[in-house]
Amino acid sequence: MSHSAVEVHHLYKTFTFPVKNPHKGFLANLLSPDKKSVHAVNNISFSVEKGETVAFIGPNGAGKSTTIKILTGILFPTRGDISVLGLNPQVQRKKLAFKIGTVFGQRSQLLFNLPIADSFHLFSKIYEIPTGIYRQQKEKLVELFDLKDIFQQPVRKLSLGQRMRAEVALALLHKPPLIFLDEPTIGLDVVAKRKLRETLNALNREEDTTIFLTSHDVGDIESIADRTIVINYGSVVFDGRTANLRKEFVSKKIIKIESEKKQPLLEALPEGLTARKIADGQVEYTVDTSRVSIDEVLNRLVKQTEIKDITIEDPPLEEIIENIDPKMVFKENSRI
């Protein structure tokens, strides 16, 4: 029996749509318009093992949402082989729906004017959950997602953080072994994000639930996903451990120093080093490590500046992802 929750082999999705030709008349454009094709997904392959936590990320328009819609059976691929929990999403979509959970941060499955409890009851009927099992699962999810005090409240009266916890809990009511999360923490405050992330980690740890996550929030990626797949221009450009994403693509370091002096700037900056004054006595240096070593910069700082405090950081993960060259493909421990 396969241990993979998701198998994708040479997946393509091309969208073709009419475009107006300025050299044609109105009727010609209407009756025989020119066509334009966009390759939203361009020959991607990957697999996700059961129990894995995977972030599937990339810039807007990279093909993330299209891929997820194909995996859940909403869209048909142009070509390629896909298996989700051993099922073909395009042929066995209804059967697959009973085995997966989906949460889209900007689309609610909860009944807006009714209590959370009513949505749970409705879903138990949709998914044909036996009464005894439903009661056990409901109690477990209410406790896990801290819903007891709000379970009888109308959804419209919930905070966004409360609603998102209820959304994820609802998606897990039928005990799916795989859950797709699309921007699950969008719009949440810091406390609500942390609580939801901790709950998802507990779910994966205790139930071995496979989590397939898309998010623009670096905190989601680093807190939830052990593995990250980066897609850009419809192709996979990175597939490896989330912790190694920075290691493979970071060629810059950010050094922040605080000094007793008002202008602790290095003299005659070497190539690959830039400086920016933050405030009196505080300077931020950006180091291109392919041109100048951290050791050299630190040695210069120690010799020329009276340092009160110093920190060395990587650039933000968003910047790293944005600057990944789509022509440079990195795959770690590939299973494709």
Side-chain angles (χ1 to χ4, degrees), residues 10-142:
H10 305 295
L11 178 63
Y12 292 83
K13 180 59 181 179
T14 301
F15 293 99
T16 302
F17 52 91
V19 292
K20 184 177 180 180
N21 186 334
H23 301 293
K24 286 185 176 181
F26 173 77
L27 283 177
N29 272 307
L30 182 65
L31 299 175
S32 58
D34 291 351
K35 304 283 186 177
K36 181 178 180 179
S37 295
V38 174
H39 303 292
V41 178
N42 187 23
N43 191 22
I44 69 171
S45 299
F46 63 88
S47 65
V48 177
E49 301 301 306
K50 292 177 182 178
E52 266 198 293
T53 52
V54 177
F56 190 68
I57 64 175
N60 290 328
K64 305 185 302 297
S65 295
T66 299
T67 302
I68 287 182
K69 287 175 181 176
I70 291 172
L71 293 178
T72 55
I74 296 172
L75 288 178
F76 278 51
T78 301
R79 67 178 186 270
D81 297 316
I82 310 130
S83 173
V84 180
L85 299 174
L87 301 173
N88 184 326
Q90 284 65 55
V91 178
Q92 300 165 292
R93 181 182 175 186
K94 184 176 180 180
K95 190 173 182 180
L96 179 63
F98 278 75
K99 301 183 73 173
I100 63 172
T102 57
V103 176
F104 295 93
Q106 297 180 353
R107 294 183 182 180
S108 178
Q109 298 182 94
L110 295 163
L111 301 170
F112 185 70
N113 290 309
L114 298 177
I116 298 173
D118 288 8
S119 294
F120 269 61
H121 182 72
L122 175 62
F123 266 54
S124 74
K125 299 303 180 185
I126 292 174
Y127 286 102
E128 302 172 1
I129 306 173
T131 302
I133 295 176
Y134 164 61
R135 287 174 179 169
Q136 291 178 1
Q137 182 70 349
K138 178 181 68 173
E139 291 174 4
K140 183 176 182 178
L141 292 171
V142 166

Side-chain angles (χ1 to χ4, degrees), residues 14 37 40-41 46 88 97 103 113 119 123 140 160 167 187 196 198 207-208 228 231 251 254 261 268 314 318 333-334:
T14 301
S37 295
V41 178
F46 63 88
N88 184 326
V103 176
N113 290 309
S119 294
F123 266 54
K140 183 176 182 178
L160 185 56
E167 290 279 2
L196 183 55
E198 289 173 350
E207 300 290 336
D208 203 32
T228 295
I231 184 172
S251 61
I254 298 171
K261 295 181 179 181
D314 290 327
E318 296 99 324
N333 298 326
S334 178

